[in-house]
Amino acid sequence: MERSDENVVFIGGKPFMNYVTAVVMQFTTKGAREVNIRARGKFIARAVDVAEICIKRFLKERNVVVKKISIDSEEFDNREGKRVNVSLIDIVVGLNR
Amino acid sequence: MERSDENVVFIGGKPFMNYVTAVVMQFTTKGAREVNIRARGKFIARAVDVAEICIKRFLKERNVVVKKISIDSEEFDNREGKRVNVSLIDIVVGLNR
């Protein structure tokens, strides 16, 4: 049984397929049963793209589905010292049993 | 009992507060119990922002929470006639009873 924190893929500005590959490999070579796809701010839309492409294309035969989606937000001080909010998303994709 | 389709707010490129106001007014003046916040593509991150701001700031006293989040994707032909995928999100926020 792997710890949940070992199966987190954080979505950022690297090439799109890097993230798809990272998620797919968690299932295909690491034996993960669930993977958390997480993103902040503008990368949230990308996290949804990654989840959808993984599920509908690359992990279709493995019967991986969206298990749970949660959103949140947190405050932080930006470079100008102004307090701003940033949204977060956590998409749990996992084997459908 | 209102029909679900009457309480949908589609997030696009208008000023951010337009959408926040639209969601808040569904609860405060239309008596909605649930509102669907929907977006496609790059506007998905914005839909999460709208949901978070509504829940944590403007609807805090009304005890509105995230009820359900679902994602999907669909194919369409872009302007160059190329088939592309676009992701979708549907965030249901509602009264917490």
Side-chain angles (χ1 to χ4, degrees):
Chain A
M1 186 75 176
E2 298 195 35
R3 278 185 302 126
S4 158
D5 280 358
E6 293 177 319
N7 301 326
V8 178
V9 175
F10 288 98
I11 308 302
K14 291 183 193 164
F16 185 75
M17 285 306 294
N18 287 27
Y19 301 109
V20 172
T21 307
V23 173
V24 170
M25 283 189 62
Q26 290 285 337
F27 289 101
T28 56
T29 71
K30 302 272 179 68
R33 303 162 69 92
E34 285 191 354
V35 175
N36 293 63
I37 301 169
R38 290 189 187 146
R40 291 158 56 98
K42 65 177 179 179
F43 295 116
I44 287 175
R46 215 166 192 221
V48 176
D49 291 341
V50 169
E52 282 293 311
I53 294 285
C54 286
I55 287 172
K56 293 202 174 155
R57 193 169 311 166
F58 295 97
L59 295 168
K60 201 173 179 182
E61 281 73 34
R62 287 179 183 253
N63 202 13
V64 170
V65 297
V66 174
K67 292 283 193 173
K68 187 172 193 293
I69 305 173
S70 41
I71 60 175
D72 199 359
S73 55
E74 57 185 30
E75 286 188 329
F76 74 103
D77 296 325
N78 69 7
R79 286 176 200 165
E80 290 80 35
K82 195 181 162 197
R83 178 136 298 191
V84 293
N85 272 282
V86 64
S87 296
L88 316 168
I89 197 166
D90 181 17
I91 305 169
V92 185
V93 296
L95 302 177
N96 190 20
R97 322 240 136 177
Chain B
M1 185 76 174
E2 298 196 34
R3 279 185 302 128
S4 158
D5 280 359
E6 293 176 319
N7 301 326
V8 178
V9 175
F10 287 98
I11 308 302
K14 291 182 194 164
F16 184 75
M17 285 306 294
N18 287 28
Y19 302 109
V20 173
T21 308
V23 173
V24 169
M25 283 188 62
Q26 290 285 337
F27 289 102
T28 55
T29 71
K30 302 272 179 66
R33 302 162 70 92
E34 286 191 353
V35 175
N36 293 62
I37 302 169
R38 290 190 187 146
R40 293 159 55 98
K42 65 178 177 178
F43 294 115
I44 287 175
R46 214 163 192 225
V48 176
D49 290 341
V50 170
E52 282 293 312
I53 294 285
C54 287
I55 286 172
K56 293 201 174 157
R57 193 169 312 166
F58 294 98
L59 295 167
K60 200 174 178 181
E61 281 73 33
R62 287 179 182 254
N63 202 13
V64 170
V65 297
V66 174
K67 292 282 193 174
K68 188 174 192 291
I69 305 173
S70 40
I71 59 175
D72 199 0
S73 55
E74 57 186 29
E75 285 188 330
F76 74 103
D77 296 325
N78 69 8
R79 286 175 201 167
E80 290 80 34
K82 195 182 163 195
R83 178 137 298 192
V84 293
N85 272 282
V86 65
S87 295
L88 317 169
I89 197 165
D90 181 19
I91 305 169
V92 185
V93 295
L95 301 177
N96 190 21
R97 325 235 137 180

